[in-house]
Coordinates of all heavy atoms in Angstrom, one line a residue:
S26 N -78.2 -137.0 41.2 CA -76.8 -136.6 40.9 C -75.9 -137.8 40.9 O -76.2 -138.8 41.4 CB -76.4 -135.5 41.8 OG -75.6 -135.9 42.8
N27 N -74.7 -137.6 40.4 CA -73.8 -138.7 40.5 C -72.8 -138.5 41.6 O -71.8 -139.2 41.7 CB -73.0 -138.7 39.1 CG -72.3 -137.4 38.8 OD1 -72.4 -136.4 39.6 ND2 -71.6 -137.4 37.7
A28 N -73.1 -137.7 42.6 CA -72.3 -137.5 43.8 C -72.7 -138.5 44.8 O -73.8 -138.8 45.1 CB -72.5 -136.1 44.3
S29 N -71.7 -139.0 45.5 CA -71.9 -140.0 46.6 C -72.3 -139.3 47.8 O -72.0 -138.1 48.0 CB -70.7 -140.8 46.8 OG -69.7 -140.0 47.4
P30 N -73.0 -139.9 48.8 CA -73.3 -139.3 50.1 C -72.1 -138.8 50.8 O -72.1 -137.7 51.4 CB -74.0 -140.4 50.9 CG -74.6 -141.3 49.8 CD -73.6 -141.3 48.7
G31 N -71.0 -139.5 50.7 CA -69.8 -139.1 51.3 C -69.2 -137.8 50.8 O -68.7 -136.9 51.5
L32 N -69.2 -137.7 49.4 CA -68.8 -136.5 48.8 C -69.6 -135.3 49.2 O -69.2 -134.2 49.5 CB -68.7 -136.6 47.3 CG -68.3 -135.4 46.5 CD1 -66.9 -134.9 46.9 CD2 -68.4 -135.7 45.0
L33 N -71.0 -135.5 49.2 CA -71.9 -134.4 49.5 C -71.6 -134.0 51.0 O -71.6 -132.8 51.3 CB -73.3 -134.8 49.4 CG -73.7 -135.1 47.9 CD1 -75.1 -135.6 47.9 CD2 -73.6 -133.8 47.1
A34 N -71.4 -135.0 51.9 CA -71.2 -134.7 53.3 C -69.8 -133.9 53.4 O -69.7 -132.9 54.2 CB -71.1 -135.9 54.1
H35 N -68.8 -134.3 52.7 CA -67.5 -133.6 52.7 C -67.6 -132.2 52.3 O -67.1 -131.3 52.9 CB -66.5 -134.3 51.8 CG -65.2 -133.6 51.7 ND1 -64.3 -133.6 52.7 CD2 -64.7 -132.8 50.7 CE1 -63.2 -132.9 52.3 NE2 -63.5 -132.4 51.1
I36 N -68.4 -131.9 51.3 CA -68.5 -130.6 50.7 C -69.3 -129.7 51.7 O -69.0 -128.6 52.0 CB -69.2 -130.6 49.3 CG1 -68.3 -131.3 48.3 CG2 -69.6 -129.2 48.9 CD1 -69.0 -131.6 47.0
A37 N -70.4 -130.3 52.3 CA -71.2 -129.6 53.2 C -70.4 -129.2 54.5 O -70.4 -128.1 55.0 CB -72.4 -130.4 53.6
V38 N -69.6 -130.1 55.0 CA -68.8 -129.9 56.2 C -67.8 -128.8 55.9 O -67.6 -127.9 56.7 CB -68.2 -131.1 56.8 CG1 -67.1 -130.8 57.8 CG2 -69.2 -132.1 57.3
A39 N -67.1 -128.9 54.8 CA -66.1 -128.0 54.4 C -66.7 -126.6 54.2 O -66.1 -125.6 54.7 CB -65.4 -128.4 53.1
K40 N -67.9 -126.5 53.7 CA -68.5 -125.2 53.5 C -69.1 -124.6 54.7 O -68.8 -123.5 55.1 CB -69.6 -125.3 52.4 CG -70.3 -124.0 52.2 CD -71.2 -124.0 51.0 CE -72.0 -122.7 50.8 NZ -71.3 -121.5 50.9
Y41 N -69.9 -125.4 55.4 CA -70.6 -124.8 56.5 C -70.0 -124.9 57.9 O -70.2 -124.1 58.7 CB -72.0 -125.5 56.6 CG -72.8 -125.1 55.4 CD1 -73.1 -126.2 54.4 CD2 -73.3 -123.9 55.1 CE1 -73.8 -125.9 53.2 CE2 -74.0 -123.6 53.9 CZ -74.2 -124.6 53.0 OH -75.0 -124.3 51.9
Q42 N -69.1 -125.9 58.1 CA -68.4 -126.0 59.4 C -67.0 -125.3 59.3 O -66.6 -124.6 60.2 CB -68.3 -127.5 59.8 CG -67.6 -127.7 61.1 CD -68.4 -127.1 62.3 OE1 -69.6 -127.1 62.3 NE2 -67.8 -126.6 63.3
D43 N -66.3 -125.6 58.2 CA -64.9 -125.1 58.1 C -64.9 -123.7 57.4 O -63.8 -123.1 57.4 CB -64.1 -126.0 57.3 CG -64.0 -127.4 58.0 OD1 -64.2 -127.4 59.3 OD2 -63.8 -128.4 57.3
G44 N -66.0 -123.2 56.9 CA -66.1 -121.9 56.2 C -65.3 -121.8 54.9 O -64.8 -120.7 54.5
L45 N -65.2 -122.9 54.2 CA -64.4 -122.9 52.9 C -65.4 -122.6 51.8 O -66.4 -123.4 51.6 CB -63.8 -124.3 52.8 CG -62.9 -124.5 51.6 CD1 -61.6 -123.7 51.8 CD2 -62.5 -126.0 51.5
P46 N -65.2 -121.5 51.1 CA -66.1 -121.1 50.0 C -66.0 -122.1 48.8 O -65.0 -122.8 48.7 CB -65.5 -119.8 49.5 CG -64.6 -119.3 50.6 CD -64.1 -120.5 51.3
L47 N -67.1 -122.2 48.1 CA -67.2 -123.1 47.0 C -66.1 -122.9 45.9 O -65.6 -123.8 45.3 CB -68.5 -123.1 46.4 CG -69.7 -123.7 47.3 CD1 -71.0 -123.5 46.6 CD2 -69.4 -125.1 47.7
Y48 N -65.7 -121.6 45.7 CA -64.7 -121.4 44.7 C -63.3 -121.9 45.1 O -62.6 -122.3 44.2 CB -64.6 -119.8 44.3 CG -63.9 -119.0 45.4 CD1 -62.6 -118.7 45.3 CD2 -64.6 -118.4 46.4 CE1 -61.9 -118.0 46.2 CE2 -64.0 -117.6 47.4 CZ -62.7 -117.4 47.3 OH -62.0 -116.6 48.2
R49 N -63.1 -122.0 46.4 CA -61.8 -122.6 46.8 C -61.9 -124.1 46.7 O -60.9 -124.7 46.3 CB -61.5 -122.3 48.3 CG -61.1 -120.8 48.4 CD -60.6 -120.5 49.7 NE -60.3 -119.1 49.9 CZ -60.2 -118.5 51.0 NH1 -60.5 -119.2 52.2 NH2 -59.9 -117.2 51.1
M50 N -63.1 -124.7 46.9 CA -63.2 -126.1 46.8 C -63.1 -126.5 45.3 O -62.5 -127.5 45.0 CB -64.6 -126.6 47.3 CG -64.6 -126.7 48.8 SD -66.1 -127.6 49.3 CE -66.9 -126.1 50.1
E51 N -63.6 -125.7 44.4 CA -63.4 -125.8 43.0 C -62.0 -125.9 42.6 O -61.5 -126.8 41.8 CB -64.1 -124.7 42.2 CG -64.0 -124.8 40.7 CD -64.7 -123.6 40.0 OE1 -64.8 -122.5 40.6 OE2 -65.0 -123.8 38.8
T52 N -61.2 -125.0 43.2 CA -59.7 -125.0 42.9 C -59.0 -126.2 43.4 O -58.1 -126.8 42.8 CB -59.1 -123.7 43.5 OG1 -59.8 -122.6 43.0 CG2 -57.6 -123.6 43.2
I53 N -59.4 -126.6 44.6 CA -58.8 -127.8 45.3 C -59.1 -129.1 44.4 O -58.2 -129.8 44.2 CB -59.4 -128.0 46.7 CG1 -58.8 -126.9 47.6 CG2 -59.0 -129.4 47.3 CD1 -59.5 -126.9 49.0
F54 N -60.3 -129.2 44.0 CA -60.7 -130.4 43.1 C -59.9 -130.3 41.8 O -59.5 -131.3 41.3 CB -62.2 -130.4 42.9 CG -63.0 -131.0 44.1 CD1 -63.9 -130.2 44.7 CD2 -62.8 -132.2 44.6 CE1 -64.7 -130.7 45.7 CE2 -63.4 -132.7 45.7 CZ -64.4 -131.9 46.3
K55 N -59.8 -129.1 41.3 CA -59.0 -128.9 40.0 C -57.6 -129.4 40.1 O -57.0 -130.0 39.3 CB -59.1 -127.5 39.6 CG -58.6 -127.2 38.1 CD -58.8 -125.7 37.8 CE -58.4 -125.5 36.4 NZ -58.7 -124.0 36.0
R56 N -57.0 -129.0 41.3 CA -55.6 -129.5 41.5 C -55.5 -131.0 41.6 O -54.5 -131.6 41.2 CB -55.1 -128.9 42.8 CG -54.5 -127.6 42.8 CD -53.6 -127.2 44.0 NE -54.2 -127.6 45.2 CZ -54.8 -126.8 46.1 NH1 -54.9 -125.5 45.8 NH2 -55.2 -127.3 47.2
M57 N -56.6 -131.7 42.0 CA -56.6 -133.1 42.0 C -57.0 -133.7 40.7 O -57.1 -134.9 40.5 CB -57.5 -133.6 43.1 CG -57.1 -133.3 44.5 SD -58.1 -134.0 45.8 CE -59.6 -133.0 45.7
G58 N -57.2 -132.9 39.7 CA -57.5 -133.4 38.4 C -59.1 -133.7 38.2 O -59.4 -134.4 37.3
I59 N -59.9 -133.1 39.1 CA -61.3 -133.3 39.0 C -62.0 -132.0 38.6 O -61.9 -131.0 39.2 CB -61.8 -133.7 40.4 CG1 -61.1 -135.0 40.9 CG2 -63.3 -133.9 40.4 CD1 -61.4 -135.4 42.4
H60 N -62.7 -132.1 37.5 CA -63.5 -131.0 37.0 C -64.8 -130.9 37.7 O -65.7 -131.7 37.4 CB -63.6 -131.1 35.5 CG -64.5 -129.9 34.9 ND1 -64.1 -128.6 34.9 CD2 -65.8 -130.0 34.4 CE1 -65.0 -127.9 34.4 NE2 -66.1 -128.7 34.1
L61 N -65.0 -130.0 38.7 CA -66.2 -129.9 39.5 C -66.4 -128.4 39.6 O -66.0 -127.8 40.6 CB -66.0 -130.6 40.8 CG -67.2 -131.0 41.6 CD1 -68.2 -131.8 40.7 CD2 -66.8 -131.9 42.7
P62 N -67.2 -127.8 38.7 CA -67.5 -126.4 38.8 C -68.3 -126.0 40.0 O -69.0 -126.8 40.6 CB -68.3 -126.1 37.5 CG -68.3 -127.3 36.7 CD -67.8 -128.4 37.6
R63 N -68.1 -124.7 40.4 CA -68.8 -124.3 41.7 C -70.3 -124.3 41.5 O -71.0 -124.4 42.5 CB -68.2 -123.0 42.2 CG -68.8 -121.8 41.6 CD -68.1 -120.5 42.1 NE -66.9 -120.4 41.4 CZ -66.2 -119.3 41.3 NH1 -66.6 -118.2 42.0 NH2 -65.0 -119.2 40.7
N64 N -70.8 -124.1 40.3 CA -72.3 -124.1 40.2 C -72.8 -125.5 40.4 O -73.9 -125.6 40.9 CB -72.7 -123.5 38.8 CG -72.2 -124.3 37.6 OD1 -71.2 -125.0 37.8 ND2 -72.9 -124.2 36.5
T65 N -72.1 -126.5 40.1 CA -72.5 -127.9 40.4 C -72.4 -128.1 41.9 O -73.4 -128.7 42.4 CB -71.5 -128.9 39.7 OG1 -71.6 -128.7 38.3 CG2 -71.9 -130.3 40.0
L66 N -71.4 -127.6 42.5 CA -71.3 -127.7 44.0 C -72.4 -127.0 44.7 O -73.1 -127.6 45.6 CB -70.0 -127.2 44.5 CG -68.7 -127.8 44.0 CD1 -67.4 -127.0 44.4 CD2 -68.6 -129.2 44.6
A67 N -72.8 -125.8 44.2 CA -73.9 -125.1 44.8 C -75.2 -125.8 44.6 O -76.1 -125.9 45.5 CB -73.9 -123.7 44.1
N68 N -75.4 -126.3 43.3 CA -76.7 -127.1 43.1 C -76.8 -128.3 44.0 O -77.8 -128.6 44.5 CB -76.7 -127.5 41.6 CG -77.0 -126.4 40.7 OD1 -77.7 -125.4 41.1 ND2 -76.6 -126.4 39.5
W69 N -75.6 -129.0 44.2 CA -75.6 -130.2 45.1 C -76.0 -129.7 46.5 O -76.8 -130.5 47.2 CB -74.3 -130.8 45.1 CG -74.0 -131.6 43.9 CD1 -74.9 -132.0 42.9 CD2 -72.8 -132.3 43.6 NE1 -74.2 -132.7 41.9 CE2 -72.9 -132.9 42.3 CE3 -71.6 -132.3 44.1 CZ2 -71.9 -133.6 41.7 CZ3 -70.5 -133.0 43.5 CH2 -70.7 -133.7 42.3
M70 N -75.5 -128.6 47.0 CA -75.8 -128.1 48.4 C -77.3 -127.8 48.5 O -78.0 -128.1 49.5 CB -74.9 -127.0 48.8 CG -73.4 -127.4 49.0 SD -73.2 -128.6 50.3 CE -73.2 -130.1 49.4
M71 N -77.8 -127.1 47.4 CA -79.3 -126.8 47.5 C -80.2 -128.0 47.5 O -81.1 -128.1 48.2 CB -79.6 -125.9 46.3 CG -79.0 -124.5 46.4 SD -79.6 -123.3 45.1 CE -78.7 -123.9 43.7
K72 N -79.8 -129.0 46.6 CA -80.6 -130.2 46.6 C -80.5 -131.0 47.9 O -81.5 -131.5 48.3 CB -80.2 -131.1 45.4 CG -80.6 -130.5 44.0 CD -82.0 -130.5 43.9 CE -82.4 -130.0 42.5 NZ -83.8 -129.9 42.2
S73 N -79.3 -131.0 48.4 CA -79.1 -131.7 49.7 C -79.9 -131.1 50.8 O -80.5 -131.8 51.7 CB -77.6 -131.7 50.1 OG -76.8 -132.4 49.2
S74 N -80.0 -129.7 50.8 CA -80.7 -129.1 51.9 C -82.2 -129.4 51.7 O -82.9 -129.5 52.7 CB -80.5 -127.5 51.8 OG -81.1 -127.0 50.7
E75 N -82.7 -129.5 50.5 CA -84.1 -129.9 50.3 C -84.4 -131.3 50.9 O -85.4 -131.5 51.5 CB -84.5 -129.8 48.8 CG -84.5 -128.5 48.3 CD -84.7 -128.4 46.7 OE1 -84.9 -129.5 46.1 OE2 -84.5 -127.4 46.2
L76 N -83.5 -132.2 50.6 CA -83.7 -133.6 51.1 C -83.5 -133.7 52.6 O -84.2 -134.5 53.3 CB -82.6 -134.5 50.4 CG -82.8 -134.7 48.9 CD1 -81.6 -135.5 48.4 CD2 -84.1 -135.4 48.6
L77 N -82.7 -132.8 53.2 CA -82.5 -132.8 54.7 C -83.5 -132.0 55.4 O -83.5 -132.0 56.7 CB -81.1 -132.4 55.0 CG -80.0 -133.3 54.6 CD1 -78.6 -132.6 54.7 CD2 -80.0 -134.6 55.3
Q78 N -84.4 -131.3 54.8 CA -85.4 -130.4 55.4 C -86.3 -131.1 56.4 O -86.5 -130.7 57.5 CB -86.2 -129.7 54.4 CG -87.2 -128.7 55.0 CD -86.4 -127.5 55.6 OE1 -85.5 -127.0 55.0 NE2 -86.9 -127.1 56.8
P79 N -86.8 -132.3 56.1 CA -87.6 -133.1 57.1 C -86.8 -133.4 58.4 O -87.3 -133.3 59.5 CB -88.0 -134.4 56.4 CG -87.9 -134.0 54.9 CD -86.8 -133.0 54.8
L80 N -85.5 -133.8 58.3 CA -84.7 -134.1 59.4 C -84.5 -132.7 60.2 O -84.6 -132.8 61.5 CB -83.3 -134.6 59.0 CG -82.3 -134.9 60.1 CD1 -82.9 -135.9 61.1 CD2 -81.0 -135.3 59.5
Y81 N -84.2 -131.7 59.5 CA -84.1 -130.4 60.2 C -85.3 -130.0 61.0 O -85.2 -129.6 62.1 CB -83.8 -129.3 59.1 CG -83.8 -127.9 59.8 CD1 -82.7 -127.4 60.4 CD2 -85.0 -127.1 59.7 CE1 -82.8 -126.0 61.0 CE2 -85.1 -125.9 60.2 CZ -84.0 -125.3 60.9 OH -84.0 -124.1 61.5
N82 N -86.5 -130.2 60.4 CA -87.7 -129.9 61.0 C -87.9 -130.7 62.3 O -88.3 -130.2 63.3 CB -88.9 -130.1 60.1 CG -88.9 -129.1 58.9 OD1 -88.3 -128.1 59.0 ND2 -89.7 -129.5 57.9
L83 N -87.6 -132.0 62.2 CA -87.7 -132.8 63.5 C -86.8 -132.4 64.6 O -87.1 -132.3 65.7 CB -87.5 -134.3 63.1 CG -88.5 -135.0 62.3 CD1 -88.0 -136.4 61.9 CD2 -89.8 -135.2 63.1
L84 N -85.5 -132.1 64.2 CA -84.5 -131.7 65.2 C -84.9 -130.3 65.8 O -84.8 -130.1 67.0 CB -83.2 -131.5 64.6 CG -82.5 -132.9 64.2 CD1 -81.2 -132.6 63.3 CD2 -82.2 -133.7 65.4
N85 N -85.5 -129.4 64.9 CA -85.9 -128.1 65.4 C -87.1 -128.2 66.4 O -87.0 -127.5 67.4 CB -86.3 -127.2 64.2 CG -86.5 -125.8 64.6 OD1 -85.6 -125.2 65.3 ND2 -87.6 -125.2 64.2
D86 N -88.0 -129.1 66.1 CA -89.1 -129.3 67.0 C -88.7 -129.8 68.3 O -89.1 -129.4 69.4 CB -90.1 -130.3 66.3 CG -90.9 -129.7 65.2 OD1 -90.8 -128.5 65.0 OD2 -91.5 -130.5 64.4
Q87 N -87.8 -130.8 68.3 CA -87.2 -131.4 69.5 C -86.5 -130.4 70.3 O -86.6 -130.3 71.6 CB -86.3 -132.5 69.2 CG -85.9 -133.4 70.4 CD -85.1 -134.6 70.0 OE1 -84.4 -134.6 69.0 NE2 -85.2 -135.6 70.8
L88 N -85.7 -129.5 69.7 CA -84.9 -128.5 70.3 C -85.9 -127.5 71.0 O -85.7 -127.1 72.2 CB -84.0 -127.7 69.4 CG -83.2 -126.6 69.9 CD1 -82.1 -127.2 70.8 CD2 -82.6 -125.8 68.7
L89 N -86.9 -127.1 70.3 CA -87.8 -126.1 70.9 C -88.6 -126.7 72.0 O -89.2 -125.9 72.8 CB -88.7 -125.5 69.8 CG -88.0 -124.7 68.7 CD1 -89.0 -124.3 67.6 CD2 -87.4 -123.5 69.3
E90 N -88.8 -128.0 72.1 CA -89.5 -128.6 73.2 C -88.7 -128.7 74.5 O -89.2 -129.0 75.5 CB -90.1 -130.0 72.7 CG -91.2 -129.9 71.8 CD -91.6 -131.3 71.2 OE1 -91.0 -132.3 71.6 OE2 -92.4 -131.3 70.3
S91 N -87.4 -128.6 74.3 CA -86.5 -128.8 75.5 C -86.6 -127.6 76.5 O -87.2 -126.5 76.1 CB -85.1 -128.9 75.1 OG -84.6 -127.7 74.5
G92 N -86.2 -127.8 77.7 CA -86.3 -126.8 78.7 C -85.4 -125.6 78.5 O -85.8 -124.4 78.9
Y93 N -84.3 -125.8 78.0 CA -83.4 -124.6 77.7 C -82.5 -125.0 76.5 O -82.4 -126.2 76.1 CB -82.5 -124.4 79.0 CG -81.8 -125.5 79.5 CD1 -80.5 -125.8 79.1 CD2 -82.4 -126.4 80.4 CE1 -79.8 -126.9 79.5 CE2 -81.6 -127.5 80.9 CZ -80.3 -127.7 80.4 OH -79.7 -128.8 80.9
I94 N -81.8 -124.0 76.0 CA -81.0 -124.2 74.8 C -79.7 -123.5 75.0 O -79.6 -122.4 75.5 CB -81.7 -123.5 73.6 CG1 -83.1 -124.1 73.3 CG2 -80.8 -123.6 72.3 CD1 -83.8 -123.3 72.2
H95 N -78.6 -124.3 74.7 CA -77.3 -123.8 74.8 C -76.8 -123.6 73.3 O -77.1 -124.4 72.4 CB -76.3 -124.8 75.4 CG -76.6 -125.0 76.9 ND1 -76.1 -124.1 77.8 CD2 -77.3 -125.9 77.5 CE1 -76.5 -124.6 79.0 NE2 -77.2 -125.6 78.9
M96 N -76.0 -122.6 73.1 CA -75.5 -122.3 71.7 C -74.2 -121.6 71.7 O -73.8 -120.9 72.7 CB -76.5 -121.5 70.9 CG -77.0 -120.3 71.4 SD -78.4 -119.6 70.6 CE -77.9 -119.4 68.9
D97 N -73.4 -121.9 70.7 CA -72.1 -121.3 70.5 C -72.3 -120.2 69.5 O -72.5 -120.4 68.3 CB -71.1 -122.3 70.0 CG -69.7 -121.7 69.8 OD1 -69.5 -120.5 70.1 OD2 -68.9 -122.5 69.3
E98 N -72.1 -118.9 69.9 CA -72.3 -117.8 69.0 C -70.9 -117.2 68.5 O -70.8 -116.0 68.2 CB -73.1 -116.7 69.7 CG -74.5 -117.2 69.9 CD -75.4 -116.1 70.5 OE1 -75.2 -114.9 70.1 OE2 -76.4 -116.4 71.2
T99 N -69.9 -118.1 68.5 CA -68.6 -117.7 68.0 C -68.7 -117.3 66.6 O -69.2 -118.1 65.8 CB -67.6 -118.8 68.2 OG1 -67.6 -119.2 69.6 CG2 -66.2 -118.3 67.9
R100 N -68.2 -116.1 66.2 CA -68.3 -115.7 64.8 C -67.1 -116.3 64.0 O -66.0 -116.5 64.5 CB -68.2 -114.2 64.7 CG -69.3 -113.5 65.4 CD -69.2 -112.0 65.2 NE -70.3 -111.4 65.9 CZ -70.6 -110.2 65.7 NH1 -69.9 -109.4 65.0 NH2 -71.7 -109.7 66.4
V101 N -67.4 -116.6 62.8 CA -66.4 -117.1 61.8 C -66.1 -116.0 60.8 O -67.0 -115.6 60.1 CB -66.8 -118.4 61.1 CG1 -65.8 -118.8 60.0 CG2 -67.1 -119.5 62.1
Q102 N -64.9 -115.5 60.8 CA -64.5 -114.4 59.8 C -64.3 -115.0 58.5 O -63.5 -115.9 58.3 CB -63.3 -113.7 60.3 CG -63.0 -112.5 59.4 CD -61.8 -111.7 60.0 OE1 -61.4 -111.9 61.1 NE2 -61.3 -110.8 59.1
V103 N -65.1 -114.5 57.5 CA -65.0 -115.1 56.1 C -64.0 -114.2 55.3 O -63.1 -114.7 54.7 CB -66.3 -115.0 55.5 CG1 -66.3 -115.5 54.0 CG2 -67.3 -115.9 56.3
L104 N -64.1 -112.9 55.4 CA -63.3 -112.0 54.6 C -62.5 -111.2 55.7 O -63.0 -110.7 56.7 CB -64.0 -111.1 53.7 CG -64.9 -111.8 52.6 CD1 -65.7 -110.7 51.9 CD2 -64.0 -112.5 51.7
K105 N -61.2 -110.9 55.3 CA -60.4 -110.0 56.2 C -60.8 -108.6 55.9 O -60.5 -108.1 54.8 CB -58.9 -110.3 56.0 CG -58.0 -109.5 56.9 CD -56.6 -109.9 56.7 CE -55.8 -109.2 57.8 NZ -54.4 -109.6 57.7
E106 N -61.4 -107.9 56.8 CA -61.9 -106.5 56.6 C -61.1 -105.6 57.5 O -60.8 -105.9 58.6 CB -63.4 -106.4 56.9 CG -64.2 -107.3 55.9 CD -65.7 -107.2 56.2 OE1 -66.1 -106.6 57.2 OE2 -66.4 -107.8 55.4

């Protein structure tokens, strides 16, 4: 792809950490004069996840080998229901 690692990281953090949907990112990029359709953003996220799978597997193995696990189960509301 022609996306830089920094752009991919920005999109991933905005989507998965900040809860920003891809259609909103598409609108934000459009306001900046950048044509970046959400299907392209989605494809980039899918390809990135494939490339990061070995790292995820190593981290998961290390986590499961630890004596205990702490986690934050705070919910993120996506839609106002």
